[in-house]
Each structure stands twice: as C-alpha cells, then as structure tokens.
Amino acid sequence: DVDFYVQIGAYSDTKFFNAKKWNRIGKVTSKKSADGITRFTIGTYDTFTKAIKITEKAKKLGDKDAFVIVKYKGERTSLNKLIQQGVYPF
C-alpha cells in the first residue's frame, strides 16, 4: 500500500504550531521523533496528485516548505524508488 502525506511543520516547541489554521485543508496529525522534533502532517492520500494539491494549498496558507512524504507498507521511501520498482505507476 502506497500512502502520501503532506508535511506542514517540524517543531522542537509545538506551541508555535497552530493546528486550527491547517484543519481547513485536511486532518492534521503529529508525531514526535527520537530527535525530539514533532512533525505535523496532513492527510493520507492514495495518489501523488492529491497530495500535490494539498501541498499547493499549504503553501498558499503560509508554509512555503510544505512537501510530500511517501510511505510504502508503513515505511518512508521515495516516489522514484517505487516507480523504478514498478510499485507505483506514474
């Protein structure tokens, strides 16, 4: 299963993140990593195209660094790798 997410923020202090602002374009989730950084993402999309549309909306809302994250079977990977392996047709 290939899933796409849009990262909209990475913070060491989450008080600087305003989730209400982002709820307009999708469900916001957060995950604190071992490095102490909490990363915020929007959605779970089944196509790259859907994720890109959300990325564009996030950039308009003020996150110029928003980007797409790709996961295959729950593991983060690259879209190019999945295309080369024939897992995801582009």
Side-chain angles (χ1 to χ4, degrees):
D1 230 13
V2 179
D3 294 310
F4 300 91
Y5 304 82
V6 177
Q7 183 168 312
I8 53 170
Y11 295 84
S12 55
D13 188 344
T14 59
K15 72 180 177 189
F16 296 109
F17 183 79
N18 179 0
K20 287 182 182 180
K21 172 181 176 179
W22 301 103
N23 284 329
R24 291 183 253 172
I25 60 174
K27 183 182 178 204
V28 176
T29 58
S30 65
K31 184 177 181 182
K32 189 170 187 173
S33 300
D35 62 4
I37 303 294
T38 301
R39 289 169 175 82
F40 293 90
T41 58
I42 294 179
T44 303
Y45 306 99
D46 59 351
T47 69
F48 182 71
T49 303
K50 289 176 185 176
I52 285 295
K53 286 181 182 178
I54 296 300
T55 302
E56 290 168 359
K57 287 181 181 181
K59 288 181 178 187
K60 286 180 183 174
L61 271 178
D63 184 357
K64 62 182 181 359
D65 297 325
F67 63 93
V68 176
I69 294 173
V70 183
K71 290 189 179 181
Y72 178 59
K73 295 183 179 178
E75 297 293 322
R76 191 168 170 169
T77 188
S78 75
L79 184 57
N80 286 340
K81 186 175 181 180
L82 296 180
I83 291 169
Q84 289 171 351
Q85 293 173 346
V87 174
Y88 187 80
F90 194 70

